[in-house]
Amino acid sequence: MLLQRECKDGKLNSVSLLVLDSKDVMSVEEAKEAINESISSCRRELLRLVVREDGVIPKSCKEMFWNLYKTSHVFYSQADGFSSPKEMMGAMNGVIFEPLKTRGN
């Protein structure tokens, strides 16, 4: 059955809801791809709104947003960050505190 663990626990997520809404016409993989595309689109739009030059958001808020954005991206892009907090802490600290190194550095 579709996303067996979630269904067994009675907990639906966006993927299972999308498959159910499609009357099982959409596969789980297709639903995951559609959800990821939607998330990417919304993420790009939110970033555009926050970082635009003529915006009203103060620089300190933009910096805080950007750090939170980078952290959450690292936290959730590869795996569930809650199930491996020790491993994720080093990656998150690196994202926030270590400057980006270019070839010239």
Side-chain angles (χ1 to χ4, degrees):
M1 181 167 191
L2 138 88
L3 303 171
Q4 293 178 355
R5 185 185 75 201
E6 287 87 355
C7 289
K8 185 182 82 175
D9 294 342
K11 298 176 182 176
L12 299 177
N13 60 30
S14 57
V15 173
S16 56
L17 289 172
L18 189 55
V19 171
L20 291 172
D21 188 53
S22 76
K23 308 284 192 257
D24 291 328
V25 172
M26 182 180 281
S27 71
V28 171
E29 290 306 314
E30 290 170 326
K32 285 180 182 179
E33 188 175 313
I35 297 294
N36 283 332
E37 288 173 12
S38 177
I39 290 169
S40 293
S41 175
C42 291
R43 182 183 299 129
R44 283 190 302 274
E45 181 60 24
L46 178 61
L47 282 171
R48 272 191 215 103
L49 291 171
V50 170
V51 299
R52 54 186 239 205
E53 294 288 325
D54 61 341
V56 296
I57 299 174
K59 184 178 179 182
S60 60
C61 291
K62 287 181 182 184
E63 289 172 355
M64 184 184 309
F65 172 84
W66 184 242
N67 285 336
L68 180 60
Y69 172 82
K70 291 186 298 183
T71 301
S72 63
H73 181 72
V74 168
F75 207 58
Y76 291 108
S77 67
Q78 300 297 320
D80 174 15
F82 287 107
S83 60
S84 56
K86 289 181 183 179
E87 292 81 7
M88 296 303 293
M89 187 59 77
M92 290 188 318
N93 283 333
V95 166
I96 294 173
F97 298 114
E98 293 177 18
L100 181 65
K101 295 181 178 157
T102 60
R103 290 185 209 185
N105 289 2

